[in-house]
Amino acid sequence: MTFKHRSYRAERFRERKAILDRMLSGVAALLTTQYSTASATRNARVVSAEHAYDRLAEAYDAAYSSSLARAENALAFRAVRRAGCDRGRILDLGCGTGLFLEYAPVAPNHYVGVDISSGMLSVARHKFPRHTFLQGDMADLSSLPDRSFDSIVSLFASFAYVAQPERVVAEIERLLAPGGQFLVMTLGVRHRRRTPYTLESLGMTVPWRLWRVADLRWQFAHFDRVRVSGTHALVDRWLAAKPAATTYAWLAAEAATIGRALPRSCHYLIVTGGAR
């Protein structure tokens, strides 16, 4: 029995070491690879985020129903929960079609979603008719009172599309209640080698800003306990054919290792912190 137990432990150690070795070799390749823009992106028509997501709205949820998309969503909401941003009065910046409410059910009187796309908001309102959704630029939230939210979130790429990120940060600081928490997910410089799955299929691209870890830390320096981590360190298209559980396990392992130690090697960056 002891021999079998030791043999099992040795086998598990070898499996985990093999996964870690593949991750490290992938990071090394990323760090030595020159940035390049895919030909589909170079030839795409440049449009505003509002126009692009109005066009995508009706088909958006279906386009992100794959096992890879479900795993990405689950990983993002694990980060939301760990940051304590699923509690109290919640402001969802770049809310899209209401993804946040699918993963973190919130009472209607505790939630406000904001998005620049009327098309995406139309879908969100159909799915969640009792919740509040506002159309507007997240850089100007003057209709919302000071210190009115305990949690503020912005998932995936919304923060990368804003023209004046410093104004968004100022609004988050103004709106966050004492003791409140925020989580902003955006695109790192490694994302230069990727294109959004849905936009590329329509031959469109949206101007964005790709962030460095140091720039995000500087941008959010007025908050308390600011931390920048990463996710999606390695090329992940090969995961699309895998079951959602396998994909989630892989992405979670990346986030827990490379994402913490080397966030600059990741496609997505996640900033968390709290009100001072």
Side-chain angles (χ1 to χ4, degrees):
M1 183 66 70
T2 302
F3 175 78
K4 288 183 179 180
H5 180 65
R6 289 178 178 174
S7 176
Y8 172 77
R9 290 179 60 186
E11 182 179 352
R12 292 290 293 166
F13 175 79
R14 287 193 295 270
E15 289 175 355
R16 291 174 181 175
K17 185 176 183 301
I19 291 174
L20 181 59
D21 288 344
R22 287 198 298 272
M23 286 183 174
L24 292 176
S25 64
V27 171
L30 283 170
L31 294 176
T32 58
T33 301
Q34 295 296 316
Y35 293 135
S36 64
T37 304
S39 58
T41 303
R42 288 198 301 267
N43 298 329
R45 181 166 58 99
V46 178
V47 299
S48 68
E50 181 178 4
H51 175 81
Y53 285 95
D54 280 349
R55 284 280 312 276
L56 288 169
E58 292 299 325
Y60 188 84
D61 286 351
Y64 284 92
S65 61
S66 67
S67 61
L68 173 58
R70 294 197 305 274
E72 290 174 331
N73 294 343
L75 185 70
F77 280 90
R78 184 183 74 160
V80 167
R81 289 189 294 272
R82 287 187 170 184
C85 289
D86 58 342
R87 307 167 191 166
R89 299 159 294 171
I90 297 171
L91 176 62
D92 184 6
L93 300 178
C95 63
T97 62
L99 178 69
F100 188 97
L101 295 173
E102 295 178 16
Y103 281 79
V106 181
N109 62 336
H110 280 188
Y111 175 90
V112 174
V114 176
D115 202 280
I116 200 167
S117 166
S118 60
M120 298 288 273
L121 290 176
S122 178
V123 176
R125 288 172 180 139
H126 178 75
K127 290 161 61 177
F128 303 100
R130 298 176 57 213
H131 289 73
T132 300
F133 296 97
L134 305 176
Q135 183 179 8
D137 189 332
M138 66 175 74
D140 181 8
L141 302 170
S142 54
S143 63
L144 300 173
D146 294 359
R147 312 299 182 213
S148 52
F149 294 95
D150 303 297
S151 300
I152 299 179
V153 299
S154 181
L155 297 176
F156 293 104
S158 297
F159 188 71
Y161 294 149
V162 296
Q164 297 175 295
E166 67 283 354
R167 291 185 58 185
V168 178
V169 175
E171 287 288 66
I172 293 173
E173 186 174 14
R174 178 181 70 84
L175 292 168
L176 204 58
Q181 305 293 319
F182 77 87
L183 179 147
V184 172
M185 188 174 181
T186 190
L187 305 178
V189 293
R190 294 291 171 190
H191 205 92
R192 195 186 308 269
R193 295 176 53 81
R194 301 174 89 222
T195 53
Y197 304 151
T198 48
L199 290 179
E200 68 180 3
S201 66
L202 297 178
M204 298 188 302
T205 187
V206 175
W208 56 27
R209 173 171 179 167
L210 303 180
W211 287 88
R212 297 188 308 162
V213 172
D215 292 337
L216 284 172
R217 287 181 178 142
W218 179 84
Q219 192 71 244
F220 288 88
H222 289 167
F223 292 90
D224 192 28
R225 304 181 306 280
V226 173
R227 177 182 176 185
V228 181
S229 59
T231 182
H232 291 65
L234 307 181
V235 177
D236 57 8
R237 292 295 180 93
W238 67 274
L239 289 169
K242 305 292 184 183
T246 301
T247 305
Y248 176 82
W250 175 269
L251 294 177
E254 283 187 347
T257 53
I258 302 167
R260 293 181 183 177
L262 292 170
R264 68 188 180 92
S265 69
C266 297
H267 292 290
Y268 286 103
L269 298 177
I270 299 173
V271 193
T272 58
R276 285 192 182 276

Coordinates of all heavy atoms in Angstrom, one line a residue, residues 29-91:
A29 N 8.8 31.6 -25.0 CA 8.6 31.9 -26.5 C 7.9 33.2 -26.7 O 8.2 34.0 -27.6 CB 7.7 30.8 -27.1
L30 N 6.9 33.5 -25.8 CA 6.2 34.8 -25.9 C 7.1 36.0 -25.7 O 7.1 37.0 -26.4 CB 5.1 34.9 -24.9 CG 3.8 34.1 -25.2 CD1 2.9 34.0 -24.0 CD2 3.1 34.7 -26.4
L31 N 8.0 35.9 -24.7 CA 8.9 37.0 -24.3 C 10.0 37.2 -25.4 O 10.6 38.3 -25.5 CB 9.6 36.7 -23.0 CG 8.7 36.6 -21.8 CD1 9.4 36.3 -20.5 CD2 8.0 38.0 -21.6
T32 N 10.2 36.3 -26.3 CA 11.2 36.4 -27.3 C 10.6 36.6 -28.7 O 11.3 36.7 -29.7 CB 12.2 35.2 -27.4 OG1 11.4 34.0 -27.6 CG2 12.9 35.1 -26.1
T33 N 9.3 36.7 -28.8 CA 8.6 36.8 -30.1 C 8.3 38.3 -30.3 O 7.7 38.9 -29.5 CB 7.3 36.0 -30.1 OG1 7.6 34.6 -29.9 CG2 6.6 36.1 -31.4
Q34 N 8.6 38.7 -31.6 CA 8.2 40.1 -31.9 C 6.7 40.2 -32.1 O 6.1 39.3 -32.6 CB 9.0 40.5 -33.2 CG 10.5 40.5 -33.1 CD 10.9 41.6 -32.1 OE1 10.4 42.7 -32.1 NE2 11.9 41.3 -31.2
Y35 N 6.2 41.4 -31.8 CA 4.8 41.6 -32.0 C 4.5 41.7 -33.5 O 5.3 42.2 -34.2 CB 4.3 42.9 -31.3 CG 4.4 43.0 -29.8 CD1 5.0 44.0 -29.2 CD2 4.0 41.9 -29.1 CE1 5.0 44.1 -27.8 CE2 4.0 41.9 -27.7 CZ 4.6 43.0 -27.1 OH 4.6 43.0 -25.7
S36 N 3.3 41.1 -33.8 CA 2.9 41.3 -35.2 C 1.4 41.3 -35.2 O 0.7 40.8 -34.3 CB 3.3 40.1 -36.0 OG 2.8 38.9 -35.6
T37 N 0.8 42.0 -36.2 CA -0.6 42.1 -36.3 C -1.1 41.2 -37.3 O -0.6 41.2 -38.4 CB -1.0 43.6 -36.6 OG1 -0.5 44.5 -35.6 CG2 -2.5 43.8 -36.6
A38 N -2.1 40.4 -37.0 CA -2.7 39.5 -38.0 C -3.2 40.2 -39.2 O -3.7 41.3 -39.1 CB -3.8 38.7 -37.4
S39 N -3.1 39.6 -40.4 CA -3.5 40.2 -41.6 C -5.0 40.6 -41.6 O -5.4 41.6 -42.1 CB -3.2 39.3 -42.8 OG -3.9 38.1 -42.7
A40 N -5.8 39.8 -40.9 CA -7.2 40.1 -40.8 C -7.4 41.4 -40.1 O -8.3 42.2 -40.5 CB -7.9 39.0 -40.1
T41 N -6.6 41.7 -39.1 CA -6.7 43.0 -38.4 C -6.2 44.1 -39.2 O -6.8 45.2 -39.3 CB -6.0 42.9 -37.0 OG1 -6.5 41.8 -36.3 CG2 -6.1 44.2 -36.3
R42 N -5.1 43.9 -39.9 CA -4.5 45.0 -40.7 C -5.5 45.4 -41.8 O -5.6 46.6 -42.2 CB -3.2 44.5 -41.4 CG -2.1 44.4 -40.4 CD -0.7 44.4 -41.2 NE -0.7 43.3 -42.1 CZ -0.2 42.1 -41.8 NH1 0.3 41.9 -40.5 NH2 -0.1 41.1 -42.6
N43 N -6.3 44.5 -42.4 CA -7.2 44.8 -43.5 C -8.6 45.1 -43.0 O -9.5 45.4 -43.8 CB -7.2 43.6 -44.4 CG -5.9 43.3 -45.0 OD1 -5.1 44.2 -45.3 ND2 -5.6 42.0 -45.3
A44 N -8.8 45.1 -41.7 CA -10.2 45.3 -41.2 C -10.5 46.8 -41.2 O -9.7 47.6 -41.2 CB -10.3 44.8 -39.8
R45 N -11.8 47.0 -41.3 CA -12.3 48.4 -41.3 C -12.4 48.9 -39.8 O -12.9 48.2 -38.9 CB -13.7 48.4 -41.9 CG -14.4 49.8 -42.0 CD -15.6 49.8 -42.9 NE -16.6 48.8 -42.4 CZ -17.7 49.0 -41.7 NH1 -17.9 50.3 -41.4 NH2 -18.5 48.1 -41.4
V46 N -11.8 50.1 -39.6 CA -11.8 50.6 -38.2 C -13.1 51.3 -37.9 O -13.5 52.2 -38.7 CB -10.6 51.6 -38.0 CG1 -10.6 52.2 -36.6 CG2 -9.3 50.9 -38.3
V47 N -13.7 50.9 -36.9 CA -15.0 51.5 -36.5 C -15.0 51.8 -35.0 O -14.1 51.4 -34.2 CB -16.2 50.6 -36.8 CG1 -16.3 50.3 -38.3 CG2 -16.1 49.3 -36.0
S48 N -16.0 52.6 -34.5 CA -16.1 52.9 -33.1 C -16.6 51.7 -32.3 O -17.3 50.8 -32.9 CB -17.0 54.1 -32.9 OG -18.4 53.7 -33.2
A49 N -16.3 51.7 -31.0 CA -16.8 50.5 -30.2 C -18.3 50.5 -30.2 O -19.0 49.4 -30.3 CB -16.3 50.7 -28.8
E50 N -19.0 51.7 -30.2 CA -20.4 51.8 -30.2 C -21.0 51.1 -31.5 O -21.9 50.3 -31.5 CB -20.9 53.2 -30.1 CG -22.4 53.4 -30.1 CD -22.8 54.8 -30.0 OE1 -21.9 55.7 -30.0 OE2 -24.0 55.1 -29.9
H51 N -20.4 51.5 -32.7 CA -20.9 50.9 -33.9 C -20.6 49.4 -34.0 O -21.5 48.6 -34.4 CB -20.2 51.6 -35.1 CG -20.5 51.0 -36.4 ND1 -21.6 51.3 -37.1 CD2 -19.8 50.1 -37.2 CE1 -21.7 50.7 -38.3 NE2 -20.6 49.9 -38.3
A52 N -19.4 49.0 -33.6 CA -19.1 47.6 -33.7 C -20.0 46.7 -32.8 O -20.6 45.7 -33.3 CB -17.7 47.3 -33.2
Y53 N -20.3 47.1 -31.6 CA -21.1 46.3 -30.7 C -22.6 46.4 -31.0 O -23.4 45.5 -30.6 CB -20.7 46.5 -29.3 CG -19.4 45.9 -29.0 CD1 -18.2 46.6 -29.1 CD2 -19.3 44.5 -28.7 CE1 -16.9 46.0 -28.9 CE2 -18.1 43.9 -28.5 CZ -16.9 44.6 -28.6 OH -15.7 44.0 -28.4
D54 N -23.0 47.5 -31.6 CA -24.4 47.6 -32.1 C -24.6 46.5 -33.2 O -25.6 45.9 -33.2 CB -24.7 49.0 -32.7 CG -25.0 50.0 -31.6 OD1 -25.2 49.6 -30.4 OD2 -25.1 51.2 -31.9
R55 N -23.6 46.4 -34.0 CA -23.7 45.4 -35.1 C -23.6 43.9 -34.5 O -24.3 43.0 -35.1 CB -22.5 45.5 -36.1 CG -22.5 46.7 -37.0 CD -23.4 46.4 -38.2 NE -23.1 45.1 -38.8 CZ -22.2 44.9 -39.7 NH1 -21.4 45.9 -40.1 NH2 -21.9 43.7 -40.2
L56 N -22.9 43.8 -33.4 CA -22.7 42.4 -32.9 C -23.8 42.0 -31.9 O -24.0 40.8 -31.6 CB -21.4 42.4 -32.1 CG -20.1 42.4 -33.0 CD1 -18.9 42.6 -32.0 CD2 -20.0 41.1 -33.7
A57 N -24.6 42.9 -31.5 CA -25.5 42.7 -30.3 C -26.3 41.5 -30.4 O -26.4 40.7 -29.5 CB -26.3 44.0 -30.1
E58 N -27.1 41.3 -31.5 CA -28.0 40.2 -31.6 C -27.4 38.8 -31.6 O -27.9 37.9 -31.1 CB -28.9 40.4 -32.8 CG -29.9 41.6 -32.8 CD -30.9 41.5 -31.6 OE1 -31.3 40.3 -31.3 OE2 -31.2 42.5 -31.0
A59 N -26.2 38.8 -32.1 CA -25.5 37.5 -32.2 C -24.4 37.3 -31.2 O -23.7 36.3 -31.1 CB -24.8 37.4 -33.6
Y60 N -24.2 38.3 -30.3 CA -23.1 38.3 -29.4 C -23.1 37.1 -28.4 O -22.1 36.4 -28.3 CB -23.1 39.6 -28.6 CG -21.9 39.8 -27.7 CD1 -20.7 40.3 -28.2 CD2 -21.9 39.4 -26.4 CE1 -19.6 40.5 -27.4 CE2 -20.8 39.6 -25.6 CZ -19.6 40.1 -26.1 OH -18.5 40.3 -25.3
D61 N -24.2 36.9 -27.8 CA -24.3 35.8 -26.8 C -24.0 34.4 -27.5 O -23.3 33.6 -26.9 CB -25.6 35.7 -26.1 CG -25.7 36.9 -25.0 OD1 -24.7 37.6 -24.8 OD2 -26.8 37.1 -24.5
A62 N -24.6 34.2 -28.6 CA -24.3 33.0 -29.4 C -22.9 32.8 -29.8 O -22.3 31.7 -29.8 CB -25.2 32.9 -30.6
A63 N -22.2 33.9 -30.1 CA -20.8 33.9 -30.5 C -19.9 33.5 -29.4 O -18.8 33.0 -29.6 CB -20.4 35.2 -31.1
Y64 N -20.4 33.7 -28.2 CA -19.5 33.4 -27.0 C -20.1 32.3 -26.2 O -20.1 32.4 -24.9 CB -19.3 34.7 -26.2 CG -18.3 35.6 -26.8 CD1 -18.7 36.7 -27.6 CD2 -17.0 35.5 -26.5 CE1 -17.8 37.5 -28.2 CE2 -16.0 36.4 -27.1 CZ -16.5 37.4 -27.9 OH -15.6 38.2 -28.5
S65 N -20.6 31.3 -26.8 CA -21.2 30.2 -26.1 C -20.3 28.9 -26.2 O -20.7 27.9 -25.7 CB -22.6 29.8 -26.8 OG -22.4 29.4 -28.2
S66 N -19.1 29.0 -26.7 CA -18.2 27.9 -26.8 C -17.7 27.5 -25.4 O -17.8 28.3 -24.5 CB -17.0 28.2 -27.7 OG -16.2 29.2 -27.1
S67 N -17.1 26.3 -25.4 CA -16.5 25.9 -24.1 C -15.3 26.9 -23.7 O -15.2 27.1 -22.5 CB -15.9 24.5 -24.2 OG -14.9 24.4 -25.2
L68 N -14.6 27.4 -24.6 CA -13.5 28.3 -24.3 C -14.1 29.6 -23.7 O -13.6 30.1 -22.7 CB -12.7 28.7 -25.5 CG -11.7 29.8 -25.4 CD1 -10.7 29.5 -24.3 CD2 -11.0 30.1 -26.7
A69 N -15.2 30.1 -24.3 CA -15.8 31.4 -23.8 C -16.4 31.1 -22.4 O -16.3 32.0 -21.5 CB -16.9 31.8 -24.8
R70 N -17.0 30.0 -22.2 CA -17.6 29.7 -20.9 C -16.5 29.6 -19.8 O -16.7 30.1 -18.7 CB -18.4 28.4 -20.9 CG -19.7 28.5 -21.8 CD -20.7 27.4 -21.5 NE -20.1 26.1 -21.6 CZ -20.0 25.4 -22.7 NH1 -20.4 25.9 -23.9 NH2 -19.5 24.2 -22.7
A71 N -15.4 29.0 -20.2 CA -14.3 28.9 -19.2 C -13.7 30.3 -18.9 O -13.4 30.6 -17.8 CB -13.2 28.0 -19.8
E72 N -13.6 31.1 -20.0 CA -13.1 32.5 -19.7 C -14.0 33.3 -18.8 O -13.5 34.0 -17.9 CB -12.9 33.2 -21.1 CG -11.8 32.6 -22.0 CD -11.8 33.3 -23.4 OE1 -12.9 33.7 -23.8 OE2 -10.7 33.4 -23.9
N73 N -15.3 33.1 -19.0 CA -16.3 33.8 -18.2 C -16.2 33.3 -16.7 O -16.2 34.2 -15.8 CB -17.7 33.6 -18.7 CG -17.9 34.2 -20.1 OD1 -17.1 35.1 -20.5 ND2 -18.9 33.8 -20.8
A74 N -16.1 32.0 -16.6 CA -16.0 31.5 -15.2 C -14.7 32.0 -14.5 O -14.8 32.3 -13.3 CB -16.0 30.0 -15.3
L75 N -13.6 32.0 -15.2 CA -12.4 32.5 -14.6 C -12.5 34.0 -14.2 O -12.0 34.4 -13.2 CB -11.2 32.3 -15.6 CG -9.8 32.6 -15.1 CD1 -9.4 31.6 -14.1 CD2 -8.8 32.7 -16.2
A76 N -13.1 34.8 -15.1 CA -13.3 36.2 -14.8 C -14.1 36.4 -13.5 O -13.8 37.2 -12.7 CB -13.9 36.9 -16.0
F77 N -15.2 35.6 -13.4 CA -16.0 35.7 -12.2 C -15.4 35.1 -11.0 O -15.8 35.5 -9.8 CB -17.4 35.2 -12.5 CG -18.2 36.2 -13.3 CD1 -18.2 36.2 -14.7 CD2 -18.9 37.2 -12.6 CE1 -18.9 37.2 -15.4 CE2 -19.6 38.2 -13.3 CZ -19.6 38.2 -14.7
R78 N -14.5 34.2 -11.1 CA -13.7 33.8 -9.9 C -12.9 35.0 -9.4 O -12.8 35.2 -8.2 CB -12.8 32.6 -10.3 CG -12.1 32.1 -9.0 CD -11.1 31.0 -9.4 NE -9.9 31.4 -10.0 CZ -8.8 30.8 -10.1 NH1 -8.7 29.5 -9.5 NH2 -7.7 31.3 -10.7
A79 N -12.3 35.7 -10.3 CA -11.5 36.9 -9.9 C -12.4 38.0 -9.3 O -12.1 38.6 -8.3 CB -10.8 37.5 -11.2
V80 N -13.7 38.1 -9.8 CA -14.6 39.1 -9.3 C -14.9 38.7 -7.8 O -14.9 39.5 -6.9 CB -15.9 39.1 -10.1 CG1 -17.0 39.8 -9.3 CG2 -15.6 39.8 -11.4
R81 N -15.2 37.4 -7.6 CA -15.6 37.0 -6.2 C -14.4 37.1 -5.3 O -14.5 37.6 -4.1 CB -16.0 35.5 -6.3 CG -17.4 35.3 -6.9 CD -17.9 33.9 -6.7 NE -17.1 32.9 -7.4 CZ -17.3 32.6 -8.7 NH1 -18.3 33.1 -9.4 NH2 -16.5 31.7 -9.3
R82 N -13.2 36.8 -5.7 CA -12.0 36.9 -4.9 C -11.7 38.3 -4.5 O -11.2 38.6 -3.4 CB -10.8 36.2 -5.6 CG -10.9 34.7 -5.6 CD -9.6 34.1 -6.2 NE -9.6 32.7 -6.0 CZ -8.6 31.9 -6.3 NH1 -7.5 32.4 -6.8 NH2 -8.6 30.6 -6.1
A83 N -12.0 39.2 -5.4 CA -11.8 40.7 -5.1 C -12.9 41.3 -4.3 O -12.9 42.4 -3.9 CB -11.7 41.4 -6.4
G84 N -14.0 40.5 -4.0 CA -15.1 40.9 -3.2 C -16.0 41.9 -3.9 O -16.7 42.7 -3.3
C85 N -16.0 41.8 -5.3 CA -16.7 42.7 -6.1 C -18.1 42.2 -6.5 O -18.7 42.7 -7.5 CB -15.9 43.1 -7.3 SG -14.5 44.2 -6.9
D86 N -18.6 41.2 -5.8 CA -19.9 40.7 -6.1 C -20.9 41.0 -4.9 O -21.9 40.3 -4.8 CB -19.9 39.2 -6.3 CG -19.3 38.4 -5.1 OD1 -18.6 39.1 -4.3 OD2 -19.5 37.2 -5.0
R87 N -20.5 42.0 -4.2 CA -21.3 42.3 -3.0 C -21.8 43.8 -3.0 O -21.3 44.6 -3.6 CB -20.4 42.1 -1.7 CG -19.7 40.8 -1.6 CD -18.7 40.8 -0.6 NE -17.8 39.6 -0.7 CZ -16.7 39.5 -0.1 NH1 -16.2 40.4 0.7 NH2 -16.0 38.3 -0.2
G88 N -22.9 44.0 -2.2 CA -23.4 45.3 -2.1 C -24.0 45.9 -3.3 O -24.5 45.2 -4.2
R89 N -23.9 47.2 -3.4 CA -24.4 47.9 -4.6 C -23.3 47.9 -5.7 O -22.2 48.3 -5.5 CB -24.7 49.4 -4.3 CG -25.8 49.5 -3.2 CD -25.7 50.9 -2.5 NE -24.5 51.0 -1.8 CZ -24.0 52.1 -1.2 NH1 -24.8 53.2 -1.3 NH2 -22.9 52.2 -0.5
I90 N -23.7 47.3 -6.9 CA -22.7 47.0 -7.9 C -22.9 47.9 -9.1 O -24.0 48.0 -9.7 CB -22.8 45.5 -8.3 CG1 -22.5 44.6 -7.1 CG2 -21.9 45.2 -9.5 CD1 -22.7 43.2 -7.3
L91 N -21.8 48.5 -9.6 CA -21.8 49.2 -10.9 C -21.0 48.4 -11.9 O -19.8 48.1 -11.6 CB -21.2 50.6 -10.7 CG -21.0 51.4 -12.0 CD1 -22.3 51.7 -12.6 CD2 -20.2 52.7 -11.6

